[in-house]
Amino acid sequence: MSSTQHNLSSFSTDQQLSADIRIGIVVADWNQEITHSLLQGAQQTLLRAGLTSTQIVVKFVPGSFELPLGAQWLLENQQVHAVICLGCVIQGETPHFTFISQAVADGIMRLNIDYNLPVIFGVLTVNSLEQAKDRSGGMHGNKGDEAAYTAIRMIALQQACEK
Ligand code: RBF
């Protein structure tokens, strides 16, 4: 997702969703400068796809480690058809980067399977703040935007498979 070769930020929004669709977004406040830009990108994309703000539920958690539990609460209580998880983990001098990134990826994958609904991994795992900026509205697009697009595609796929 986050590479120089692969940038979905210039996708087309021809996939229109029905009026009863609700999408949750969980945002980690850690590295807020980055994650709130990811949120802006995701919200813009959902609105462009035809959702209204009442169809989008946004909740904040302290850090990326808390994203899976926040997503689970949305799935349990907010009747959402998908959840987008947005975070930014920056490589530091401690092994925290590896533990947090792995835990979040595992937790989010588990939710996908357990709830049979799309839970989107919109977490930047980068070496520097610079790389994070490039991917949250900079030269490599906005991965929040791409995460929202992925949610829309997966909801549409699920609906197509159910027909
Ligand atoms: N949360 C993030 O979302 N991104 C980070 O880069 C990040 N780095 C952390 C580094 C350390 C040393 C610690 C202790 C926490 C970090 N967290 C980070 C917060 C983490 O996701 C979580 O909120 C806390 O560990 C509380 O469970």
Side-chain angles (χ1 to χ4, degrees):
M1 192 165 164
S2 178
S3 72
T4 47
Q5 282 78 39
H6 198 171
N7 185 342
L8 297 176
S9 289
S10 54
F11 72 90
S12 88
T13 44
D14 50 3
Q15 228 136 13
Q16 293 294 317
L17 296 177
S18 58
D20 60 345
I21 291 294
R22 279 165 62 82
I23 295 185
I25 307 179
V26 195
V27 190
D29 279 332
W30 197 285
N31 295 316
Q32 179 168 136
E33 175 196 354
I34 302 298
T35 60
H36 289 206
S37 295
L38 296 174
L39 172 61
Q40 267 191 349
Q43 284 175 313
Q44 271 174 19
T45 298
L46 296 179
L47 294 173
R48 270 198 289 152
L51 269 79
T52 62
S53 52
T54 57
Q55 291 173 269
I56 306 168
V57 188
V58 183
K59 300 289 179 197
F60 297 88
V61 292
S64 292
F65 190 80
E66 285 73 37
L67 285 170
L69 185 56
Q72 179 168 303
W73 287 336
L74 282 181
L75 290 163
E76 293 276 351
N77 303 310
Q78 292 286 330
Q79 294 84 43
V80 289
H81 297 80
V83 179
I84 299 163
C85 297
L86 301 175
C88 172
V89 190
I90 301 179
Q91 178 95 62
E93 289 171 2
T94 69
H96 276 83
F97 174 86
T98 313
F99 290 128
I100 294 171
S101 306
Q102 194 62 60
V104 178
D106 290 348
I108 290 176
M109 175 48 77
R110 207 172 83 196
L111 292 175
N112 277 269
I113 306 306
D114 288 354
Y115 285 84
N116 195 33
L117 286 172
V119 181
I120 310 303
F121 185 75
V123 180
L124 298 179
T125 55
V126 289
N127 293 324
S128 64
L129 186 60
E130 197 63 29
Q131 284 186 346
K133 285 181 180 167
D134 288 346
R135 289 158 179 77
S136 56
M139 64 189 284
H140 295 312
N142 188 325
K143 301 301 164 188
D145 188 351
E146 297 180 20
Y149 176 54
T150 305
I152 293 166
R153 280 195 57 185
M154 289 303 288
I155 292 170
L157 176 61
Q158 186 178 31
Q159 290 177 346
C161 289
E162 283 170 356
K163 279 180 189 152

